[in-house]
Amino acid sequence: MSFFDASALASFRRTMTVLAGAAACSATFALMPLSTHADDYDATLQDIQKSMGGVPSFVKQFPKAGLPGAWSELKALEFSDKTALPAKTKALISLAVAAQIPCTYCIWANTQSARQAGATDEEIQEAVAMAALTRHWSTVFNGMQVDFETFKKELGGEMSAAK
């Protein structure tokens, strides 16, 4: 018997393939021209200033190359009113996730956002309780290694047909 079994060897190969692909992508991006990054960064800071009335200090700690994309994503998804979810729902989801991570910064900011979007204390409490409930059952299902196919079969409608 060899040191690695077939499953471990396959897993090792998959990991090495992913790492090699990541290295190739990194090498490709490293060769791309960087001249626009400074312009994009400055334009992003100006847009943040215009949109928020100031540039929070943590923004300047974010990598310059990543800030334009991060700000664009934030504006298009979280700050936009042209998405499928209303602002209050997005803030409550963010708060629930932040409570589970946990992220003190996010909890504070998302609570403020939820309140500004009209969330009541009861809605905020329920969102956080739902996150806790989801985390609880996820722990049970995963820790007890509940068979996923059986779980799907039982909760996918076939359970009600068996009654």
Side-chain angles (χ1 to χ4, degrees):
M1 184 167 137
S2 69
F3 182 72
F4 290 105
D5 65 5
S7 174
L9 189 54
S11 178
F12 176 75
R13 284 186 187 138
R14 280 192 304 274
T15 301
M16 290 297 105
T17 302
V18 170
L19 290 175
C25 287
S26 295
T28 300
F29 290 133
L31 297 174
M32 294 175 76
L34 299 176
S35 59
T36 59
H37 285 307
D39 294 339
D40 291 346
Y41 178 76
D42 291 339
T44 299
L45 288 178
Q46 289 172 3
D47 190 33
I48 293 170
Q49 171 74 36
K50 185 177 123 195
S51 300
M52 299 181 71
V55 178
S57 60
F58 70 84
V59 168
K60 294 176 183 173
Q61 292 178 270
F62 200 85
K64 288 182 180 184
L67 186 62
W71 175 245
S72 178
E73 181 180 38
L74 194 64
K75 280 180 53 178
L77 189 58
E78 185 175 353
F79 296 159
S80 176
D81 61 356
K82 295 176 179 34
T83 62
L85 296 174
K88 181 169 77 170
T89 301
K90 290 188 274 190
L92 289 169
I93 291 169
S94 292
L95 173 59
V97 171
Q100 286 302 307
I101 293 173
C103 174
T104 303
Y105 306 91
C106 300
I107 292 167
W108 181 85
N110 291 316
T111 299
Q112 302 308 309
S113 295
R115 285 193 174 125
Q116 285 177 332
T120 64
D121 286 344
E122 188 175 9
E123 289 171 317
I124 289 169
Q125 292 161 357
E126 188 171 318
V128 172
M130 283 301 303
L133 184 62
T134 301
R135 179 74 170 240
H136 166 83
W137 283 104
S138 175
T139 302
V140 170
F141 297 145
N142 284 288
M144 293 182 181
Q145 300 177 42
V146 171
D147 181 71
F148 187 54
E149 293 305 316
T150 301
F151 175 86
K152 289 191 311 184
K153 181 179 175 185
E154 291 175 348
L155 296 184
E158 293 182 40
M159 191 167 98
S160 61
K163 290 182 180 178

